[in-house]
Amino acid sequence: MTEENLIDGAAVLSRALVDQGLEYVFGIVGYPVIEVGVAMQVAGLKFIAMRNEQAACYAAQAVGYLTGKPGVVLVVSGPGLLHTLGGLANATVNAWPLLVIGGSSDEDQEGMGAFQEWPQVESARLYTKFSARPPTIQHIPFFVEKAVRISTHGRPGACYLDIAGDLVNTTVDESSVRFFPKVGPPPKTLAETFQVQKALEVLAHAERPLVIVGKGAAYAHAEKEVRQFLELTGLPFLPTPMGKGVMPDNHPQCVIAARSRALLQADVILLLGARLNWILHFGKPPRYAPTAKFIQVDICQEELSNNIGSDRVIGLAGDLQVVTQQFLDVARSSGRGQWPYSSSTPWWQSLRSKVKDNEAKSAALARSTEVPMNYYAAISKVQAMIPRDSLIVSEGANTMDIGRTILLNHSPRHRLDAGTFGTMGVGMGFGIAAALVAQDRWPGKRVVCLEGDSAFGFSGMEVETICRYKLPILIVVINNNGIAMGLDREIWDLIPVADRPNRLMPTALMPDARYDQVMTAFGGVGFRVTTPSELEDALRLSLSKHAHQPVLINVMVSPHAQRKQQDFDWLTRSSKL
């Protein structure tokens, strides 16, 4: 064995990742993974050094959603791995592929109180689909292939690999290492034909049908099949937050502005890659009719009939893209006289009436010239001026919820937000990932992050990361001085500093915080705006003169501004509460 034939663990790990077609690594290096980060760059992986492990985890999982291939996170032992747990959970609950790799204490020091020693494999297991520690350098490619396969096949999710510190620099003969070929794409599983026929028959006889398009349809790249099916059948559809763009938000069959009425009065609901969890109010009254029937398409068989009785569900387990094609084929061959669903039915008339009414209310709020601004006036300016097919990242309470109805998506996988786990703090990581993917796959595509001021604060230091890599992200912070509701400067000044722990309401943040100066501190461009005209000017400059620079617009809105009156509270609670 000559020195030329030797290869260390860092190089084996890096080559194994490249062999699986992975491209992006996010993380924070230190002992014992500094050499791993360098080896990854030598192998051709793009390494993005972040400021916080949790934000790195959010960035990597967004890469997984946008590309279908796991983004990678590299972190140090102990606290480094533990800081990723929120991100691991978010990826698994969202069903996005992700691979976290953590350095750990040397094997011969295990149980001795080694530096940052922690039971990392066991800690990660609760948050992942697969968690393991390769016992030797020779085993690393096997475990990398297995982790990538488990992360992407079936319902996607997070995986964790633990790399002992002494494996990083130890060398072995390269001929003793077996590298594995790239994992193939997940199999496209079909639903049972008789179930497809039964489902379409039930849908065809519905008086008030509705289709809900979820982010599972976006991840499955089923936009072509979904659009053909909806336009063939003429059915009204409602996108979930990240299902927006599978069908254009401005499509005439979209009833997002009549969401509450559509859910409440529909008698048959087809779920295309959407789960009946809290976002869809569990499929239960009072948000749905107690007799409503569901047709559910999901890659995960265990999800079928979840939260509602199987007597009201027709479940179809399979890949969303091919199952929708099955629907199309059956509808075309046997749907004469059944499709399209008439656009003149009382159901369509009711939905259109509610859409028109709600859009008029939102438009009236958007036209307001009051200062400080309300959410609708501010976000409508953003919608009017950003490029049509921007990649939109959004988080925050009112900011995200109102933004869903105002910021339109026309293409799939072009919206990233708090998601199924309702996680705040994802915005900067998601934005960094979107900008990197856009640079490589969609040159010129604009990334716009619409942030509540509280949500921005979770990972605002990643602005330095954005500036370091000069990512042309436009960040718009809707600043209301608080979490959902803040305080006016006048009220703030009346509370003595010593009394703040007892008298300052828990939702309050510093009034008039200069988030724009955080951006300028690192060399980006910052604007503070208080009026609609100032916001228009800042957006115009951001999209022209500063189009290739990181920009943050700090938009001051009223601390008391809220959403327009809703038919139901956003969160379904038990009736006993």
Side-chain angles (χ1 to χ4, degrees), residues 190-496:
L190 295 164
E192 295 177 283
T193 303
F194 82 93
Q195 288 286 74
V196 173
Q197 294 170 336
K198 179 181 177 182
L200 276 180
E201 189 69 20
V202 171
L203 196 61
H205 287 88
E207 291 184 14
R208 298 178 303 280
L210 178 68
V211 179
I212 298 178
V213 181
K215 73 172 177 284
Y219 185 80
H221 288 250
E223 53 268 18
K224 175 184 173 183
E225 291 78 10
V226 169
R227 182 159 193 161
Q228 290 178 352
F229 174 73
L230 286 171
E231 291 184 344
L232 171 70
T233 59
L235 297 169
F237 75 88
L238 179 71
T240 65
M242 274 187 279
K244 284 162 57 70
V246 173
M247 289 286 288
D249 283 344
N250 62 350
H251 194 280
Q253 290 169 236
C254 181
V255 294
I256 191 170
R259 184 179 189 270
S260 292
R261 178 172 295 184
L263 298 181
L264 178 61
Q265 297 183 9
D267 60 353
V268 177
I269 299 167
L270 171 60
L271 299 166
L272 295 178
R275 290 175 270 176
L276 287 175
N277 52 23
W278 69 274
I279 292 177
L280 290 178
H281 314 287
F282 314 111
K284 295 179 178 292
R287 300 300 299 267
Y288 296 80
T291 57
K293 297 185 183 300
F294 294 86
I295 301 164
Q296 193 170 9
V297 183
D298 201 284
I299 193 68
C300 180
Q301 203 155 13
E302 291 84 349
E303 189 64 38
L304 305 179
S305 302
N306 196 27
N307 293 328
I308 49 177
S310 58
D311 58 320
R312 292 200 290 130
V313 177
I314 300 172
L316 298 96
D319 178 84
L320 202 286
Q321 186 182 52
V322 297
V323 174
T324 308
Q325 184 62 52
Q326 286 181 279
F327 279 139
L328 260 172
D329 293 342
V330 172
R332 285 168 175 164
S333 63
S334 60
R336 296 180 184 87
Q338 294 180 323
W339 308 114
Y341 178 74
S342 175
S343 61
S344 61
T345 61
W347 177 230
W348 256 124
Q349 292 173 9
S350 175
L351 291 173
R352 288 198 187 99
S353 173
K354 188 64 173 176
V355 166
K356 184 177 180 181
D357 181 54
N358 282 342
E359 287 181 343
K361 291 177 180 177
S362 295
L365 288 165
R367 287 193 298 270
S368 171
T369 57
E370 291 184 352
V371 176
M373 291 178 278
N374 66 53
Y375 287 94
Y376 294 85
I379 299 174
S380 292
K381 295 294 184 187
V382 177
Q383 165 60 29
M385 298 187 70
I386 62 173
R388 172 185 169 88
D389 243 3
S390 297
L391 279 157
I392 296 171
V393 178
S394 186
E395 61 174 337
N398 290 330
T399 299
M400 181 176 64
D401 291 342
I402 295 170
R404 284 172 181 161
T405 63
I406 296 176
L407 297 182
L408 302 182
N409 289 99
H410 305 279
S411 299
R413 298 169 298 280
H414 275 53
R415 181 183 171 86
L416 299 161
D417 69 16
T420 309
F421 214 30
T423 307
M424 295 300 157
V426 297
M428 295 299 95
F430 283 2
I432 289 168
L436 291 167
V437 172
Q439 282 182 347
D440 292 341
R441 288 167 168 77
W442 312 302
K445 181 82 69 174
R446 193 73 204 209
V447 177
V448 179
C449 294
L450 184 73
E451 298 277 312
D453 51 340
S454 170
F456 173 74
F458 278 86
S459 53
M461 198 63 180
E462 297 301 339
V463 165
E464 188 273 331
T465 307
I466 293 169
C467 289
R468 189 178 350 127
Y469 294 99
K470 203 172 182 182
L471 298 173
I473 301 171
L474 170 58
I475 303 168
V476 180
V477 177
I478 305 297
N479 188 353
N480 73 336
N481 302 342
I483 304 171
M485 182 180 294
L487 289 179
D488 293 312
R489 167 64 71 177
E490 293 76 12
I491 301 297
W492 172 275
D493 289 340
L494 291 174
I495 304 174

